[in-house]
Amino acid sequence: MKFTKNQYLIIGLIVIIFAGIFLFIGINQAQEGKGNVQYYAFQGDEKIALLEDAQTPNMHLTLYNQGFGLVKETKTFSLKQGANLLDYEDVADTIESDTLMYEDAEGKSTLEEFTYNYDTANNSALLEKSLGKTIKVETKEGRGFEGKLLSYGTTLLLDTANGIVSVLYEQVENINFGQLTGLKTKPTIKMKIWSDEERAANATVAYLAKGLNWETKYVSKLSDEKDAITLDGWISMANNSGKAYENAKVKLIAGDVKKASAYSYPAYADSMMAESKAISSGVSEQQLFEYHMYSLKNLVTLKNKEEKEFSMLVSKDIPITREYILGIYSDKKIETIIKFKNSEESNLGVPLPAGTIKFYKEDSEGSIQFIGEDSIEHTPKDKEVELSIGIVFDITADRKETKTEKVGESCEKNYYETKILNSKDKDVTVYAKQLIYGDSKVTESSQPYEQEDSQTLKFTVPVKAGIEEKLTYAILRCW
């Protein structure tokens, strides 16, 4: 069948129209697919994918605040039926090799044997692999030697055509090792895996590694108008394991996990967990066994020798009480103590990981100033937090023992006097603490007191503005 010129033009136009339609649909679909992953900026131009919108991450990282972490990576292994020898590369330099775990999602393959090869390519490794082989050595003076390497160290011992030659290593300019095989640029685990059938196995490799850590850093601002503070919590993660972790799902364990010489593998985060609770837009918290686990909402890239920080907690108007304490081991300096309760009524009520709290306050010109810091332990919900900010400038003390009396054969009576000067323009209450031991009791006191614990007395001393107040008491000790 023959077509006229006009018919060819019509057919060509139809083809162009349909091609344009398909191209338009393809571009729209590609853009829609790309739009399924949302991003947010973090620290400059770096981008991190949201976990909910991205595909399931292959890398999982659980950090413990004791200087180690659990690395868990899901990979596809091409296996034949029977025994398979595979190289699992790019493991952490600090891997604890005796903690390696291999888990096939379908249970059709098992790890039978593995070897950790940490002898990566360097001069020492090259010399070790060249023992008994011929190498060429050039010295800084331009002399050349070729021979079989017999030994190496401070000198290279070569068996040359002219006899045995010893070359000082510090005088070596260049070494030609020839062709060497089996060298690795990264630490590698050689695995022997048995597979029931030929297949692509979706398996997880997990191990513990040192050099991974996390801590919590808090920032607090004291209010001028009322006895209240703000509290911002930051999660700080550090990686010194010798490996980068790309787009990892990160979880953080708060608590002191026991590690013995014969280490029991830590539970995966999929077991023994209570209901999770969001404590900020990017962090959720839940209980894991006897510890608390915090999960970061977004995937994280943590490079080697890198530290990153994420917002964990933002809270305002936390009511506080302020106390002035003359401690057991201080006779002159008085500390400022801030107390608050980690409760929902105090605008908190979430487990607080151990960390350092830095306190700030505005001066008379409205400028923020650093006024002190303290650390807290892992603090559960509804527990009171007590923090020391520093030494008070305008409240001073002078405590001394004034007299000692022998009472009978096995008792002694000690008399104490404490002068407290309040140079502030308002009245304050100072709490003076006294160490006791053995069979002790207060026989007289000018101010009320209570026994905090078996070894501590706490005297309450109200001091008016601009006045020096005196505290006197006597303690009878028997043995």
Side-chain angles (χ1 to χ4, degrees), residues 5-23:
K5 183 177 181 181
N6 287 338
Q7 288 175 323
Y8 275 116
L9 290 174
I10 292 171
I11 292 172
L13 182 61
I14 292 172
V15 170
I16 292 171
I17 291 172
F18 275 98
I21 291 172
F22 285 122
L23 179 62

Side-chain angles (χ1 to χ4, degrees), residues 64-66 68 96 99 208 253-267 289-291:
Y64 298 77
N65 48 19
Q66 296 164 269
F68 68 96
E96 298 181 31
T99 64
L208 293 177
I253 303 297
D256 296 325
V257 178
K258 183 177 180 181
K259 286 189 70 178
S261 53
Y263 188 71
S264 56
Y265 204 75
F289 190 51
E290 300 299 333
Y291 316 112

Side-chain angles (χ1 to χ4, degrees), residues 60-72 92 94-99 207-215 236-241 245 250-260 263-267 288 291 302:
H60 292 255
L61 192 61
T62 303
L63 304 184
Y64 298 77
N65 48 19
Q66 296 164 269
F68 68 96
L70 171 63
V71 181
K72 186 170 68 167
T94 56
I95 180 176
E96 298 181 31
S97 57
D98 58 342
T99 64
Y207 57 86
L208 293 177
K210 299 175 183 177
L212 293 164
N213 202 15
W214 77 280
E215 61 179 335
S236 177
M237 299 181 297
N239 175 18
N240 292 290
S241 67
Y245 304 92
V250 175
K251 298 182 179 181
L252 312 166
I253 303 297
D256 296 325
V257 178
K258 183 177 180 181
K259 286 189 70 178
Y263 188 71
S264 56
Y265 204 75
L288 172 68
Y291 316 112
L302 190 60

Side-chain angles (χ1 to χ4, degrees), residues 262 287 300 430 471-472 479:
Q287 189 169 354
V300 176
V430 175
L471 164 67
T472 59
W479 55 89

